[in-house]
Amino acid sequence: YSKDLYEGNEFAGVVTGLAWTAVGGEILFIESSLSRAKGDKLILTGNLGNVMKESAAIALQYVKSHSRELGIDDELFEKYQLHVHVPEGAIPKDGPSAGITMATSIVSAFTQRKVRSCLAMTGEITLRGKVLPVGGIKEKILAAKRAGITDIILSVENRKDVEDIDAMYISGLTFHYVKTVMEVIDKALLDEKVAHYREL
Amino acid sequence: YSKDLYEGNEFAGVVTGLAWTAVGGEILFIESSLSRAKGDKLILTGNLGNVMKESAAIALQYVKSHSRELGIDDELFEKYQLHVHVPEGAIPKDGPSAGITMATSIVSAFTQRKVRSCLAMTGEITLRGKVLPVGGIKEKILAAKRAGITDIILSVENRKDVEDIDAMYISGLTFHYVKTVMEVIDKALLDEKVAHYREL
Amino acid sequence: YSKDLYEGNEFAGVVTGLAWTAVGGEILFIESSLSRAKGDKLILTGNLGNVMKESAAIALQYVKSHSRELGIDDELFEKYQLHVHVPEGAIPKDGPSAGITMATSIVSAFTQRKVRSCLAMTGEITLRGKVLPVGGIKEKILAAKRAGITDIILSVENRKDVEDIDAMYISGLTFHYVKTVMEVIDKALLDEKVAHYREL
Amino acid sequence: YSKDLYEGNEFAGVVTGLAWTAVGGEILFIESSLSRAKGDKLILTGNLGNVMKESAAIALQYVKSHSRELGIDDELFEKYQLHVHVPEGAIPKDGPSAGITMATSIVSAFTQRKVRSCLAMTGEITLRGKVLPVGGIKEKILAAKRAGITDIILSVENRKDVEDIDAMYISGLTFHYVKTVMEVIDKALLDEKVAHYREL
Amino acid sequence: YSKDLYEGNEFAGVVTGLAWTAVGGEILFIESSLSRAKGDKLILTGNLGNVMKESAAIALQYVKSHSRELGIDDELFEKYQLHVHVPEGAIPKDGPSAGITMATSIVSAFTQRKVRSCLAMTGEITLRGKVLPVGGIKEKILAAKRAGITDIILSVENRKDVEDIDAMYISGLTFHYVKTVMEVIDKALLDEKVAHYREL
Amino acid sequence: YSKDLYEGNEFAGVVTGLAWTAVGGEILFIESSLSRAKGDKLILTGNLGNVMKESAAIALQYVKSHSRELGIDDELFEKYQLHVHVPEGAIPKDGPSAGITMATSIVSAFTQRKVRSCLAMTGEITLRGKVLPVGGIKEKILAAKRAGITDIILSVENRKDVEDIDAMYISGLTFHYVKTVMEVIDKALLDEKVAHYREL
Ligand SMILES: [Ca+2]
Ligand SMILES: [Ca+2]
Ligand SMILES: [Ca+2]
Ligand SMILES: [Ca+2]
Ligand SMILES: [Ca+2]
Ligand SMILES: [Ca+2]
Ligand SMILES: [Ca+2]
Ligand SMILES: [Ca+2]
Ligand SMILES: [Ca+2]
Ligand SMILES: [Ca+2]
Ligand SMILES: [Ca+2]
Ligand SMILES: [Ca+2]
């Protein structure tokens, strides 16, 4: 991952995640987009490994099976085809830690709700909605700060990893510890829609 | 598998299994979730090997071919898409020993019946419903106790493996030996539904 | 294959076969189960190699193309999905010698006819219904006897292999030599249905 | 291939071919069978390599595109599913030389016409219906004679290979040299149907 | 490729191409055939590599998107299934140089127009219809002459390769240099249909 | 890539890209073509690697989800099948840098709008429409100039790479730096249709 900066919250369906690579931490963007098409095949791009593809499938299933709580009309899953992409295509990506970012991205795409500003997140999703801890927390947090992020969502089980970091490295950052995917979505998505929202 | 604790029985479709790995025994969770969709394709995630994927297919077929005894309307298999997931995505998993756990998880998802508290299980499923013995019993039992499990379902053909274990290691554990998958489901699922059950 | 015993003829669709492995002969069970579903995709599980999967496809085609003689309504093939499983999932299995066992199992599932008691069989199936000889006869017969089998169906072309075995090893066994799959089914399936038969 | 003998012409859809293996020539049987099913997917079994599978696809296309000359109602291709099998499943088979045998087998299955007695054949099929020469002619002919074959169909371009064989080896054999698949079918299939023909 | 001779222009859908192999140039035949079937899946046989398969897909798309100019009713693409075969099945074939031959073959199949006599061609097709130059021109031309070809269609960008050949080797051959696939088809296909044309 | 020249803007759906290979820069052509067919499967040819295939999927999704802004009737995606090809078939191609060229090509195919003359482009596309920088800028620009290109579209994040090039090498070239795919399309496609446009 090249060194990216936070890019704002103008677009529905675009959420900032955190990755941990051989050369340190990085932010990455999860992009979800809908198009009118028959069937409900999930399209995944961005040079993703199998575990990361599975994360997207779990995130979509979570969103579908909680559509009522999330305020998404079930018919949208039939009427629209979902495509989830993770730039940059030349870089292979894998692992489960983008799970909650994918779920948030998908909900934003289907609701057109605006993503909270300057927010990033990392955590594995389970089908029942539990948020599991992930690795590389220190490197990911440093990368987030460098990129201009101010708020970070993590599993409560990653709290100890944050507390191990020297305070000077994390000044100015607010951590939001969560247990469930529903908490992630509540924290990450505003009730308002994006400025140029699409009528679904 | 990291060292997990029993996580309660709040959710329909979530059942605790036992795994045997290079570093000892472990508990794991089988999660089944339904979404409204055409067709009845089974979605499987969790970095599963082919034998474990086959276990899910056998479990689903068992449930479908015994729908009447289980009180499941056949139309639900057409109206809902089943997704079975086994956290944690980064860890490859394989083998037939989650078979009865998958069957129980699927029945719970389709009936919304609550899973018995503090229960774990391990055993291979066959299509006719016989429960076959599995390996690693000692390590699995130790892991279950450590995780807070009090009741364990096993094949009767694994009774001898339990009897070989020093009594002090298994004090406080109750073993339920079964011959059939229907017995597993009878023992594992309560007649009541989960608190926040979903109307299917 | 672990050392299994004959398990009775309570279930429609469950037929006992004979396998020949590196560690000697073994009995195995072929299980066929039907579920209501659109389409007629054949589901195969049990860690089967390609040749064994092909045997199942040939067996199913034989049954379909002889439905009238077998008393099976053609519509059942559309209304029900067939799943053929061979326990035990952890053990890879391959080869053509389960062909006639699979055909018998499939016919039993679609007719709910009871399988003759204490019977096992081994033989390759062809699409026209000829039964071809298979290898490992001596080891398979010893395993069958050990497991409690009394009657064995073989290709007439395997008669010479039986005659090569010392008589003391096969006392108490009755051999049924056949040329065609239809003979196998006539010998293996009783005209009565299983006790708890399913109305198809 | 084990040493097989000619097996008569009782069955529609069963035609005798000639194979050339590391241990000499062999006869083999091509079996075509029809079942009622939606769609027109071609099922191929018998441990076939890609080139041999392609031969079956070419043979089927030839039959479909010449249905009128062959007296086959086009609707049969929709109403029936075709399965082509080549016993024996344990032996891998490949190469294009079964092409005309497959075409003859398919036509016999769809017309229930009886195959000429004591006949075998070998030759590659092309989509336009030309019969191409194949290798191993001497070994194949010796195997055919040994198996009880009296008539052999070959490409005219294989005539020179026959003429190279010492006359004493081929006494009692009649060779039919052909240029087209239509000639093969005319020579190989009788106008009468098999005794127990199936009404399609 | 064995040493083949030109085989006439009796059949619609059969066009002569030129191949370049390790042992020199060769002619080959592209055969296109139509059968009545639902869907419009393209069937490709002849032991073709991926690049050659892509050439067929490009050729078909070119024909479909230029159906009006080519006088082909769009409904034919729905009503008929196209199969493109390149004999001889035992020989692997690859590369883009059969592209224009495939396009010509497909147009002839769908229009039943007769192919110009004693004609061969080689050239890569693009989706917009440009004809790209290909390699092995000298070897291909010598093979064409040897096979009885008198007219050869090439990309204008291969003219220089022809001019490099000693005149004595190409006496009696007429070269047709083209820029577009439409020119190829105009030169290669007569306005008349084949003698025994099929009513589509 | 052989050394190609710019080939004009006669065809809708054909756009000039820039590639960077082991032997230097190159221009290449992205060709999009539509045919009438059911479904909306995307056909991709040209010996493309997975990353380049993903670029095409992202480009198509971008076009579909921005159909209103682009003036494309959503029904066209159902009525027409899209095929994207990149000549020359013998050369493997991969990487994300053709993303914006593919998007432009697809829009031109669906609108029949003419491509600006003497224009080339290179840049990765994201699903939200951001244009990412790519590598090999110097080599690509030299190749573009050599091929007769006068205008080049690049990501603003590639401006620094251009400024590093010695001015004498880029005299006569105009650079258009963009942030979004929509800007690319606005700059690359004229409002007028191609001369022989197709009525969709
Ligand atoms: Ca990056
Ligand atoms: Ca909120
Ligand atoms: Ca764990
Ligand atoms: Ca109960
Ligand atoms: Ca066993
Ligand atoms: Ca009987
Ligand atoms: Ca043989
Ligand atoms: Ca005749
Ligand atoms: Ca040849
Ligand atoms: Ca003309
Ligand atoms: Ca080039
Ligand atoms: Ca404009």
Side-chain angles (χ1 to χ4, degrees):
Chain A
Y1 302 103
S2 64
K3 298 306 174 214
D4 296 306
L5 295 180
Y6 174 69
E7 298 195 354
N9 59 350
E10 178 187 359
F11 296 100
V14 181
V15 183
T16 307
L18 298 173
W20 180 32
T21 74
V23 297
E26 250 298 0
I27 66 169
L28 54 70
F29 305 102
I30 306 290
E31 306 179 323
S32 289
S33 166
L34 302 175
S35 66
R36 294 292 301 256
K38 285 168 194 154
D40 64 344
K41 197 169 75 80
L42 171 60
I43 303 180
L44 297 171
T45 53
N47 213 337
L48 310 183
N50 286 336
V51 172
M52 199 160 181
K53 284 180 181 169
E54 287 194 349
S55 288
I58 301 163
L60 177 56
Q61 178 76 358
Y62 180 85
V63 173
K64 284 183 175 176
S65 63
H66 293 78
S67 54
R68 202 171 324 171
E69 297 93 309
L70 294 166
I72 300 172
D73 184 343
D74 272 347
E75 288 182 8
L76 295 184
F77 301 121
E78 296 288 328
K79 280 170 65 182
Y80 287 93
Q81 171 140 350
L82 174 64
H83 184 144
V84 178
H85 175 61
V86 189
E88 318 164 16
I91 300 168
K93 308 166 193 81
D94 208 352
S97 76
I100 60 172
T101 323
M102 284 172 156
T104 308
S105 168
I106 292 169
V107 173
S108 174
F110 275 110
T111 60
Q112 298 289 304
R113 286 167 68 186
K114 193 168 188 170
V115 181
R116 183 177 295 274
S117 180
C118 297
L119 175 79
M121 65 184 68
T122 184
E124 179 172 349
I125 188 174
T126 72
L127 206 44
R128 92 197 92 138
K130 194 188 174 195
V131 179
L132 299 182
V134 296
I137 292 297
K138 185 178 177 186
E139 292 79 359
K140 286 173 172 176
I141 286 172
L142 297 183
K145 193 175 171 189
R146 196 173 56 227
I149 296 297
T150 62
D151 289 75
I152 296 177
I153 296 178
L154 298 170
S155 165
V156 292
E157 299 180 51
N158 277 128
R159 186 194 294 265
K160 62 184 186 306
D161 301 298
V162 176
E163 291 169 352
D164 283 350
I165 306 176
D166 202 331
M168 63 177 244
Y169 290 127
I170 56 177
S171 68
L173 289 178
T174 304
F175 294 94
H176 306 264
Y177 298 108
V178 297
K179 289 185 175 174
T180 71
V181 176
M182 206 54 87
E183 288 176 80
V184 174
I185 292 165
D186 271 351
K187 289 179 189 294
L189 295 186
L190 305 178
D191 293 336
E192 62 180 297
K193 298 193 177 192
V194 292
H196 300 284
Y197 70 88
R198 184 169 169 202
E199 199 75 61
L200 295 181
Chain B
Y1 302 101
S2 63
K3 298 307 175 213
D4 296 306
L5 295 179
Y6 173 68
E7 300 194 353
N9 58 349
E10 178 187 359
F11 297 100
V14 181
V15 183
T16 308
L18 298 173
W20 180 32
T21 74
V23 297
E26 252 297 1
I27 65 168
L28 53 70
F29 305 101
I30 306 290
E31 306 179 323
S32 290
S33 166
L34 302 175
S35 65
R36 294 292 301 256
K38 284 169 194 151
D40 65 344
K41 197 168 76 81
L42 172 60
I43 302 182
L44 297 171
T45 53
N47 212 337
L48 311 183
N50 286 336
V51 172
M52 200 161 180
K53 285 181 180 168
E54 288 194 350
S55 288
I58 300 163
L60 177 56
Q61 178 76 359
Y62 180 85
V63 173
K64 283 183 174 175
S65 65
H66 293 78
S67 55
R68 203 171 324 171
E69 297 93 310
L70 294 166
I72 301 172
D73 184 343
D74 272 347
E75 288 182 8
L76 296 184
F77 301 120
E78 297 289 327
K79 279 170 66 182
Y80 288 92
Q81 171 140 350
L82 175 63
H83 183 145
V84 177
H85 175 62
V86 189
E88 318 163 17
I91 300 169
K93 307 166 193 80
D94 208 352
S97 77
I100 60 171
T101 323
M102 284 171 154
T104 307
S105 167
I106 292 169
V107 173
S108 174
F110 275 111
T111 60
Q112 296 289 306
R113 286 168 67 187
K114 193 167 186 169
V115 182
R116 183 176 295 274
S117 179
C118 297
L119 175 79
M121 65 184 68
T122 184
E124 179 171 349
I125 187 173
T126 72
L127 206 44
R128 93 197 92 138
K130 193 188 174 194
V131 179
L132 301 182
V134 296
I137 291 297
K138 186 179 177 185
E139 292 80 359
K140 286 173 171 175
I141 286 172
L142 297 182
K145 194 174 171 190
R146 197 172 56 226
I149 296 296
T150 62
D151 290 76
I152 296 177
I153 297 177
L154 297 172
S155 166
V156 293
E157 299 180 51
N158 277 128
R159 186 194 293 265
K160 62 182 185 308
D161 301 297
V162 175
E163 292 169 351
D164 284 349
I165 306 176
D166 202 332
M168 62 177 245
Y169 292 127
I170 56 177
S171 67
L173 289 177
T174 304
F175 295 94
H176 306 264
Y177 297 107
V178 297
K179 288 185 175 173
T180 71
V181 176
M182 205 54 86
E183 288 175 80
V184 174
I185 291 165
D186 270 351
K187 288 179 191 293
L189 296 187
L190 305 178
D191 293 336
E192 61 180 298
K193 298 194 178 191
V194 292
H196 300 284
Y197 70 87
R198 183 169 170 201
E199 199 74 61
L200 296 180
Chain C
Y1 303 102
S2 62
K3 298 306 176 214
D4 297 306
L5 295 181
Y6 173 69
E7 299 193 353
N9 58 349
E10 178 187 358
F11 297 100
V14 180
V15 183
T16 307
L18 298 173
W20 180 31
T21 73
V23 297
E26 252 297 1
I27 66 167
L28 54 70
F29 306 101
I30 306 290
E31 307 179 321
S32 290
S33 166
L34 302 175
S35 66
R36 294 292 301 254
K38 285 169 193 151
D40 65 344
K41 196 168 76 79
L42 172 60
I43 303 181
L44 297 172
T45 53
N47 212 337
L48 311 183
N50 286 336
V51 172
M52 200 160 178
K53 285 181 180 168
E54 287 194 351
S55 288
I58 300 162
L60 176 57
Q61 177 76 359
Y62 179 85
V63 174
K64 283 183 174 175
S65 65
H66 293 78
S67 55
R68 202 171 324 171
E69 297 93 311
L70 294 166
I72 300 172
D73 184 343
D74 272 347
E75 288 182 9
L76 295 184
F77 301 120
E78 296 289 327
K79 279 170 66 182
Y80 288 92
Q81 171 139 349
L82 175 63
H83 183 144
V84 178
H85 175 61
V86 189
E88 318 162 18
I91 300 169
K93 309 166 192 77
D94 207 352
S97 77
I100 60 170
T101 323
M102 285 171 155
T104 307
S105 168
I106 292 169
V107 173
S108 174
F110 275 110
T111 61
Q112 297 288 305
R113 286 168 67 186
K114 193 168 188 170
V115 181
R116 182 177 295 274
S117 179
C118 297
L119 175 79
M121 65 184 69
T122 184
E124 179 171 350
I125 187 173
T126 72
L127 206 44
R128 95 198 89 139
K130 193 188 175 195
V131 179
L132 300 182
V134 295
I137 292 298
K138 185 179 176 186
E139 291 80 359
K140 286 172 172 177
I141 286 172
L142 296 182
K145 194 175 171 189
R146 198 171 54 225
I149 295 297
T150 61
D151 289 76
I152 297 177
I153 297 178
L154 297 171
S155 165
V156 293
E157 298 180 53
N158 277 129
R159 185 194 293 265
K160 63 182 182 308
D161 301 298
V162 176
E163 291 168 352
D164 283 350
I165 306 176
D166 203 332
M168 61 177 246
Y169 291 127
I170 57 177
S171 68
L173 290 177
T174 305
F175 295 94
H176 306 264
Y177 298 107
V178 297
K179 289 185 174 173
T180 72
V181 176
M182 206 54 87
E183 288 175 79
V184 175
I185 291 165
D186 270 351
K187 288 179 191 294
L189 295 186
L190 305 178
D191 293 336
E192 60 180 297
K193 299 193 177 191
V194 292
H196 300 283
Y197 70 87
R198 183 168 170 202
E199 200 74 60
L200 297 180
Chain D
Y1 303 103
S2 63
K3 298 306 176 214
D4 297 306
L5 295 181
Y6 173 68
E7 299 193 354
N9 58 348
E10 179 188 357
F11 297 100
V14 180
V15 183
T16 308
L18 298 173
W20 181 30
T21 74
V23 296
E26 251 297 1
I27 66 169
L28 53 71
F29 305 101
I30 306 290
E31 306 179 323
S32 290
S33 166
L34 302 175
S35 66
R36 293 293 300 256
K38 284 169 194 153
D40 65 344
K41 197 168 76 79
L42 172 60
I43 302 181
L44 297 172
T45 53
N47 213 337
L48 311 183
N50 286 335
V51 172
M52 200 161 179
K53 285 181 181 169
E54 287 193 352
S55 289
I58 301 162
L60 177 56
Q61 177 77 356
Y62 179 86
V63 173
K64 283 183 174 175
S65 65
H66 292 79
S67 55
R68 201 171 325 173
E69 296 93 311
L70 294 166
I72 300 172
D73 184 343
D74 272 346
E75 289 182 7
L76 296 183
F77 301 121
E78 297 288 328
K79 279 171 65 183
Y80 288 92
Q81 171 140 349
L82 175 63
H83 184 144
V84 177
H85 176 62
V86 189
E88 316 161 19
I91 300 168
K93 309 167 191 79
D94 208 351
S97 77
I100 60 171
T101 323
M102 284 173 155
T104 307
S105 168
I106 292 169
V107 173
S108 174
F110 275 110
T111 60
Q112 298 288 304
R113 286 167 67 186
K114 191 168 189 171
V115 182
R116 182 177 296 273
S117 179
C118 298
L119 174 80
M121 64 184 69
T122 184
E124 179 171 350
I125 187 174
T126 71
L127 206 44
R128 94 197 90 139
K130 193 187 176 195
V131 179
L132 300 182
V134 295
I137 291 298
K138 185 179 177 186
E139 291 80 359
K140 287 173 171 176
I141 286 172
L142 296 182
K145 193 175 171 189
R146 198 171 55 226
I149 296 296
T150 61
D151 289 76
I152 296 177
I153 297 178
L154 298 170
S155 165
V156 293
E157 298 180 53
N158 277 127
R159 184 195 294 265
K160 63 183 182 308
D161 301 298
V162 175
E163 292 169 351
D164 283 350
I165 306 175
D166 203 331
M168 61 177 247
Y169 291 126
I170 56 177
S171 69
L173 290 177
T174 304
F175 296 93
H176 306 264
Y177 298 107
V178 297
K179 290 184 174 173
T180 72
V181 175
M182 206 54 88
E183 288 175 80
V184 174
I185 291 164
D186 270 350
K187 288 180 190 293
L189 295 186
L190 304 179
D191 293 336
E192 61 181 297
K193 299 194 179 191
V194 291
H196 300 283
Y197 69 89
R198 183 168 171 202
E199 199 74 58
L200 297 181
Chain E
Y1 303 102
S2 64
K3 298 305 176 216
D4 296 305
L5 294 181
Y6 173 69
E7 298 193 354
N9 58 350
E10 179 188 357
F11 297 100
V14 181
V15 182
T16 308
L18 297 173
W20 181 31
T21 75
V23 297
E26 251 297 1
I27 66 169
L28 53 71
F29 305 100
I30 306 289
E31 306 179 322
S32 290
S33 166
L34 302 175
S35 65
R36 293 293 300 256
K38 284 168 194 154
D40 64 345
K41 197 169 75 81
L42 172 60
I43 302 180
L44 297 172
T45 53
N47 212 336
L48 310 183
N50 286 336
V51 172
M52 199 160 180
K53 285 180 181 168
E54 287 194 352
S55 288
I58 301 162
L60 176 57
Q61 176 77 356
Y62 179 86
V63 172
K64 283 183 174 175
S65 64
H66 293 79
S67 55
R68 201 172 323 173
E69 296 94 310
L70 294 166
I72 300 172
D73 184 342
D74 272 347
E75 289 182 8
L76 295 183
F77 301 121
E78 297 287 328
K79 279 171 64 183
Y80 287 93
Q81 171 139 351
L82 175 63
H83 184 144
V84 177
H85 176 61
V86 189
E88 317 162 20
I91 300 168
K93 309 167 192 79
D94 208 352
S97 77
I100 61 171
T101 323
M102 284 172 155
T104 307
S105 168
I106 292 169
V107 172
S108 174
F110 275 109
T111 60
Q112 297 289 304
R113 286 168 66 186
K114 192 168 189 170
V115 181
R116 182 176 296 275
S117 178
C118 298
L119 174 79
M121 64 183 69
T122 184
E124 179 172 350
I125 188 174
T126 72
L127 206 43
R128 94 197 90 138
K130 192 187 175 193
V131 179
L132 301 182
V134 294
I137 291 298
K138 186 178 175 185
E139 292 79 359
K140 287 173 171 175
I141 287 172
L142 296 183
K145 192 174 172 190
R146 198 171 55 226
I149 296 296
T150 61
D151 289 75
I152 296 177
I153 297 178
L154 297 170
S155 164
V156 293
E157 298 180 53
N158 277 129
R159 185 194 293 267
K160 62 184 183 308
D161 301 297
V162 176
E163 292 169 351
D164 283 350
I165 305 174
D166 202 330
M168 63 177 247
Y169 290 125
I170 56 177
S171 70
L173 290 176
T174 305
F175 295 93
H176 306 264
Y177 298 107
V178 297
K179 290 185 174 173
T180 71
V181 175
M182 207 53 88
E183 289 175 78
V184 174
I185 291 164
D186 270 350
K187 288 180 190 294
L189 295 186
L190 305 179
D191 294 336
E192 62 179 297
K193 299 192 178 192
V194 290
H196 301 283
Y197 70 88
R198 184 169 170 202
E199 199 75 58
L200 296 181
Chain F
Y1 303 103
S2 64
K3 298 305 174 213
D4 296 307
L5 296 181
Y6 173 69
E7 297 195 355
N9 58 350
E10 179 188 357
F11 297 99
V14 181
V15 183
T16 308
L18 297 173
W20 181 31
T21 75
V23 298
E26 250 299 1
I27 66 169
L28 54 70
F29 305 102
I30 306 290
E31 306 179 323
S32 290
S33 166
L34 302 176
S35 66
R36 293 293 301 256
K38 285 168 194 154
D40 63 346
K41 197 169 75 78
L42 172 60
I43 303 180
L44 297 172
T45 53
N47 212 336
L48 310 183
N50 286 336
V51 172
M52 199 160 180
K53 284 181 180 168
E54 287 194 350
S55 289
I58 301 163
L60 177 56
Q61 177 77 356
Y62 180 85
V63 173
K64 283 183 174 175
S65 64
H66 293 78
S67 55
R68 202 171 323 172
E69 296 94 310
L70 294 166
I72 300 172
D73 183 344
D74 271 347
E75 289 182 8
L76 296 184
F77 301 120
E78 296 289 328
K79 281 170 65 182
Y80 288 92
Q81 171 140 350
L82 174 64
H83 183 144
V84 177
H85 175 61
V86 189
E88 318 166 17
I91 300 168
K93 308 166 193 80
D94 208 351
S97 77
I100 61 172
T101 323
M102 284 172 155
T104 308
S105 167
I106 292 170
V107 173
S108 174
F110 275 110
T111 60
Q112 297 288 305
R113 286 167 67 186
K114 192 168 189 169
V115 181
R116 182 176 296 275
S117 179
C118 298
L119 174 80
M121 65 184 69
T122 184
E124 180 172 348
I125 188 174
T126 72
L127 206 44
R128 93 197 92 138
K130 193 188 175 194
V131 179
L132 299 182
V134 295
I137 292 298
K138 185 178 176 186
E139 292 79 359
K140 286 172 171 176
I141 286 172
L142 296 183
K145 192 174 172 190
R146 198 173 55 228
I149 296 297
T150 61
D151 289 75
I152 296 176
I153 297 178
L154 297 171
S155 165
V156 293
E157 299 180 51
N158 276 129
R159 185 194 293 265
K160 62 183 185 306
D161 301 298
V162 176
E163 291 169 352
D164 283 350
I165 306 174
D166 202 332
M168 63 176 246
Y169 290 127
I170 56 176
S171 69
L173 289 177
T174 305
F175 295 94
H176 306 264
Y177 298 107
V178 296
K179 290 185 174 173
T180 71
V181 176
M182 206 54 87
E183 288 176 78
V184 174
I185 292 165
D186 270 351
K187 288 180 190 294
L189 295 186
L190 305 179
D191 294 335
E192 61 179 297
K193 300 193 177 192
V194 291
H196 300 284
Y197 70 88
R198 184 169 169 201
E199 199 75 60
L200 296 181

